[in-house]
Amino acid sequence: MRGKAGVVLGLAVGYVLGTRAGRERYEQIKTQADKVWSAEPVQRQVVKVKEFAASAAMALPSTLWNSAVKVTKAAASKGTAEERVERVKAAGAESADEIQKTAKVSARAAKQAADDLSTEGSGS
């Protein structure tokens, strides 16, 4: 019985001491992480990423939506089935071209933003 009590007491003391040291180290790491996050260079990059996400990256979803609306309107238009199919084909082809152009513009913008970030990050 005495051995078990010693083990339990040892575990309790180790836990308390470990917890204190662990908490202090956690607070040190947290403080350093907050300093890095709040640093001016990091925040400049955060702003750039937010601006990019709000502009070029949002162009593609709106283009997709507009294309879907055009195709739907073409399908719902008046006329024979053959006429509607032809209008849907034409609207689909036009939409595919618009989507492709927008995707290329978004990809170029993303690449440029990544290049800008890597250039600034390397100190060049």
Side-chain angles (χ1 to χ4, degrees), residues 44-58 113:
R44 277 196 308 266
Q45 300 309 323
V46 168
V47 168
K48 284 185 178 185
V49 169
K50 286 181 181 179
E51 289 172 354
F52 170 74
S55 62
M58 295 287 113

Side-chain angles (χ1 to χ4, degrees), residues 41-42 44-45 48 113-124:
V42 173
R44 277 196 308 266
Q45 300 309 323
K48 284 185 178 185
D115 290 346
D116 290 349
L117 291 175
S118 67
T119 300
E120 287 180 23
S122 67
S124 299

Side-chain angles (χ1 to χ4, degrees), residues 17 21 68 73 79 113:
L17 294 176
K73 285 182 179 179

Side-chain angles (χ1 to χ4, degrees), residues 21-37:
R23 183 65 184 187
E24 288 172 12
R25 184 65 184 140
Y26 166 78
E27 291 297 333
Q28 288 174 347
I29 292 169
K30 182 179 172 197
T31 301
Q32 289 300 325
D34 288 342
K35 284 181 184 178
V36 169
W37 179 254

Side-chain angles (χ1 to χ4, degrees), residues 85-110:
V85 166
E86 289 304 315
R87 283 194 289 270
V88 168
K89 282 183 184 179
E94 181 182 323
S95 295
D97 290 342
E98 289 175 20
I99 291 168
Q100 187 176 23
K101 287 176 187 173
T102 304
K104 285 180 181 178
V105 168
S106 293
R108 278 194 299 269

